[in-house]
Amino acid sequence: MDLRIFTEPQQGATYDTLLTVAKATEDLGFDAFFRSDHYLRMGGSDGLPGPTDAWITLAGLARETKRIRLGTLMTAGTFRLPGVLAIQVAQVDQMSGGRVELGLGAGWFEEEHTAYGIPFPKEKFARLEEQLAIVTGLWSTPLGKTFDFHGTYYDLTDSPALPKPAQRRVPVLIGGHGATRTPRLAARYADEFNIPFAGVEDSARQFGRVRAAAEEAGRPADELTYSNALVACVGRDDREVARRAAAIGREVDELKANGLAGSPAEVVDKLGRYAAIGSRRVYLQMLDLSDLDHLDLISSQVQSQLS
């Protein structure tokens, strides 16, 4: 099972903080560094010094890291026109030497749109479907050919479909809890399906829906990677677990029920339950970005046992 580090910079982080965490991610042997795509804090955090943009952050990290994969959980479809997004992601992929992955979602947090003057359309899912068709279509258009798309929300005519990513295919992540449309969309466009903050039973149910949708679409279900995103709170003993839970404003019992919390042995055991239902990758949501010892502990006592 791959372990990836997943950050929430809207809660308060500078680019330098994210760079420090990304370099630790690389040095400690984790597979990837991912970040959310939000412009407004959530909950009780003050969010200082303010938001950072996901793709500007990843462009910087592309030049300052060498091995780890880089991506978003999830880029908000409401923030960027799909043609522009295709250019941005292709450029960052070139800058990284082919290490980028695109998680793309419909967008949901209305308050951040209001705060920064971003339109928040009523029909977001149908827009997302067109966005996925455009982004993947632009990348897959052969050199020298043009790309056209005429949809309900977007219209592209004679696009040169440039630039191209460094990778032959940038992996696309789709995720969520939706029972019908989300699995169908994943079956058509995704390389990876991610379910965020779900227990083992709910994850198994949703993975089953995606697998069924893939087979119905004529695609082998095992072509997709199935993954989870879960908050991490690991400690060498109960006292350290409690300290880390308090630092992120959470209760230990709640974290153990809904995330990956406890001793390294407890967390390895729970990861094994996710692996048993087909999860091959877990994004560890790290909410205290100043606690690099937390990353070191997970690397040395959790990740080391997963092989």
Side-chain angles (χ1 to χ4, degrees), residues 262-307:
S263 68
E266 288 178 289
V267 170
V268 169
D269 178 71
K270 193 163 187 180
L271 285 169
R273 282 180 265 157
Y274 281 98
I277 62 160
S279 183
R280 293 293 174 261
R281 185 171 289 156
V282 173
Y283 295 80
L284 303 174
Q285 185 193 44
M286 309 302 294
L287 295 175
D288 182 357
L289 299 184
S290 67
D291 189 359
L292 297 182
D293 182 61
H294 195 190
L295 291 176
D296 184 75
L297 174 66
I298 295 170
S299 172
S300 63
Q301 297 194 32
V302 175
Q303 182 173 242
S304 62
Q305 298 188 54
L306 297 182
S307 58

Side-chain angles (χ1 to χ4, degrees), residues 106-123:
W108 61 270
F109 189 18
E110 186 171 3
E111 288 86 347
E112 67 186 333
H113 295 75
T114 302
Y116 286 97
I118 303 168
F120 189 70
K122 182 178 180 180
E123 181 46 74

Side-chain angles (χ1 to χ4, degrees), residues 153-173:
Y153 305 101
Y154 303 102
D155 200 289
L156 288 74
T157 301
D158 291 336
S159 172
L162 297 171
K164 301 300 187 191
Q167 299 174 87
R168 183 184 62 81
R169 178 181 173 90
V170 172
V172 172
L173 290 74

Side-chain angles (χ1 to χ4, degrees), residues 18-102:
L18 296 172
L19 174 59
T20 298
V21 175
K23 286 188 171 180
T25 297
E26 186 158 83
D27 293 342
L28 292 169
F30 293 103
D31 183 59
F33 175 94
F34 271 57
R35 60 157 292 164
S36 60
D37 188 23
H38 288 294
Y39 292 139
L40 199 66
R41 66 175 175 81
M42 303 168 196
S45 167
D46 60 20
L48 293 175
T52 51
D53 181 83
W55 285 100
I56 292 176
T57 297
L58 295 177
L61 297 180
R63 306 304 286 180
E64 299 195 76
T65 58
K66 298 184 182 302
R67 177 188 60 79
I68 51 173
R69 308 289 295 176
L70 301 166
T72 51
L73 282 182
M74 300 283 187
T75 292
T78 48
F79 288 176
R80 298 166 183 87
L81 296 171
V84 175
L85 180 62
I87 292 170
Q88 292 172 320
V89 177
Q91 183 178 5
V92 178
D93 194 51
Q94 292 172 0
M95 293 168 70
S96 71
R99 293 184 285 124
V100 159
E101 304 186 9
L102 171 63

Side-chain angles (χ1 to χ4, degrees), residues 233 237-246 249-263 266:
C233 183
D237 51 39
D238 290 345
R239 183 176 178 180
E240 191 167 79
V241 174
R243 174 176 64 79
R244 289 199 162 111
R250 305 279 286 270
E251 298 293 331
V252 172
D253 289 345
E254 178 266 321
L255 286 170
K256 286 189 175 184
N258 300 311
L260 295 170
S263 68
E266 288 178 289

Side-chain angles (χ1 to χ4, degrees), residues 173-246:
L173 290 74
I174 294 173
H177 297 261
T180 304
R181 293 193 298 176
T182 297
R184 177 179 58 78
L185 210 57
R188 184 171 181 184
Y189 291 106
D191 299 280
E192 178 178 335
F193 179 79
N194 178 270
I195 184 166
F197 314 119
V200 174
E201 290 185 3
D202 287 342
S203 297
R205 190 176 302 112
Q206 187 69 337
F207 289 164
R209 292 182 184 125
V210 174
R211 296 180 71 88
E215 296 287 357
E216 186 177 342
R219 180 181 180 188
D222 288 339
E223 274 190 2
L224 284 86
T225 297
Y226 299 86
S227 65
N228 291 84
L230 296 162
V231 62
C233 183
V234 188
R236 295 171 181 85
D237 51 39
D238 290 345
R239 183 176 178 180
E240 191 167 79
V241 174
R243 174 176 64 79
R244 289 199 162 111

